[in-house]
Amino acid sequence: RHIAGTPKNSLQEGTTDSNESGTRLRPAEMWTAACRRIPRRAFIPAARSLVGRRPVRALSSAAEMEGYTPPKVWKDKERPGVWGKLNQPYAGARETRDVPRGEHALQLYSLATPNGMKAGIFLEELYDQYKVEYDAWPINISEGDQFTSGFVQVNPNSKIPALLHYTDDLKEPVRVFESASVLLYLADTFDTDHHFVPKDPKLRAECISWLFWQVGAAPSLGGGGFKSFFSADVKIESAIDK
């Protein structure tokens, strides 16, 4: 369950498999070290929006945004910032590079972002309950690891987290992407005692409903609402009210 002896040309370059006290780290903990190598500006901390910002006036509609009129046909243009340069209006690999593979059947590719941590947290719960082993590999999304050929084969949408499950009865591994799909797949496959997802159909439906709520409704209330209220350069009244 630990990542050790990683090749220098892999995505783990520069990380360690132990902390300062020499204690071995669980796979999900490896992402913390990877996150420390990502520039702070890549995350655009929300706290920056609360201090040192120029005053902006609230607008009553999107049409008032500095005179901007949406075109009938949208065309791509250069965008500033880390994410602006990475995000493009097309899918597919931009670099030929395989994803690493460890010794266990489960291979998790993710990073310690709010969404990326979900699969790692649940895998740790499965380890505590069932001793399910896995390998975790950081995908540095600020440097474009998600657009390598290997990762695109795992998730064509180039989003974390993503999972490969190697089994003896299949020639190709099972690939799972989207955090809710990963969580449900892991529960269906390894939660044999129904410790996490109830066996009763009614309770199972309730559990799955809340699972998909936290990836569907919750982010728009939390991330989207927080950005509209605090960190948006232009405050749009209708967006904040919504």
Side-chain angles (χ1 to χ4, degrees):
R1 67 183 182 272
H2 305 294
I3 301 174
T6 309
K8 292 184 178 180
N9 60 350
S10 77
L11 297 179
Q12 279 292 118
E13 183 176 2
T15 65
T16 177
D17 61 349
S18 62
N19 59 22
E20 293 179 358
S21 63
T23 304
R24 299 280 284 181
L25 297 179
R26 293 288 303 152
E29 293 179 285
M30 301 292 292
W31 298 338
T32 305
C35 281
R36 292 196 190 103
R37 302 199 304 274
I38 300 178
R40 284 182 176 270
R41 62 180 180 277
F43 291 104
I44 316 176
R48 262 198 321 198
S49 66
L50 303 179
V51 293
R53 280 230 169 189
R54 58 179 177 82
V56 292
R57 66 183 183 89
L59 303 178
S60 59
S61 67
E64 293 183 35
M65 291 178 58
E66 300 179 359
Y68 175 73
T69 301
K72 292 183 178 180
V73 179
W74 182 86
K75 294 183 178 180
D76 188 27
K77 56 182 177 294
E78 184 177 351
R79 291 171 292 276
V82 175
W83 308 121
K85 294 177 180 178
L86 281 174
N87 294 329
Q88 299 295 330
Y90 57 84
R94 305 175 193 173
E95 176 186 351
T96 301
R97 193 202 323 165
D98 292 334
V99 290
R101 177 181 174 181
E103 60 180 304
H104 299 110
L106 290 173
Q107 301 294 306
L108 178 63
Y109 304 95
S110 194
L111 197 65
T113 65
N115 197 48
M117 287 190 294
K118 296 173 185 176
I121 291 172
F122 189 42
L123 279 166
E124 286 298 296
E125 294 286 348
L126 288 172
Y127 176 77
D128 289 342
Q129 188 69 22
Y130 300 104
K131 300 305 177 186
V132 175
E133 298 277 13
Y134 70 100
D135 296 296
W137 305 95
I139 300 297
N140 195 326
I141 57 176
S142 72
E143 295 182 0
D145 287 345
Q146 68 273 35
F147 299 115
T148 60
S149 57
F151 187 79
V152 170
Q153 288 180 348
V154 184
N155 184 359
N157 298 305
S158 296
K159 302 294 183 181
I160 58 169
L163 179 79
L164 287 179
H165 183 197
Y166 291 88
T167 59
D168 295 335
D169 56 337
L170 295 176
K171 292 183 179 180
E172 296 293 331
V174 177
R175 72 174 185 182
V176 193
F177 51 88
E178 296 297 321
S179 60
S181 298
V182 172
L183 296 175
L184 188 57
Y185 175 81
L186 291 173
D188 288 345
T189 306
F190 298 102
D191 187 21
T192 54
D193 296 335
H194 300 282
H195 183 81
F196 300 102
V197 178
K199 183 178 181 180
D200 178 83
K202 182 179 179 180
L203 296 177
R204 175 181 169 85
E206 179 80 6
C207 178
I208 294 176
S209 294
W210 283 109
L211 170 65
F212 282 89
W213 175 86
Q214 61 88 24
V215 296
S220 63
L221 295 173
F226 193 90
K227 177 177 176 58
S228 296
F229 195 89
F230 290 107
S231 61
D233 289 328
V234 177
K235 311 296 185 186
I236 302 174
E237 183 178 358
S238 59
I240 294 174
D241 291 345
K242 181 179 180 181

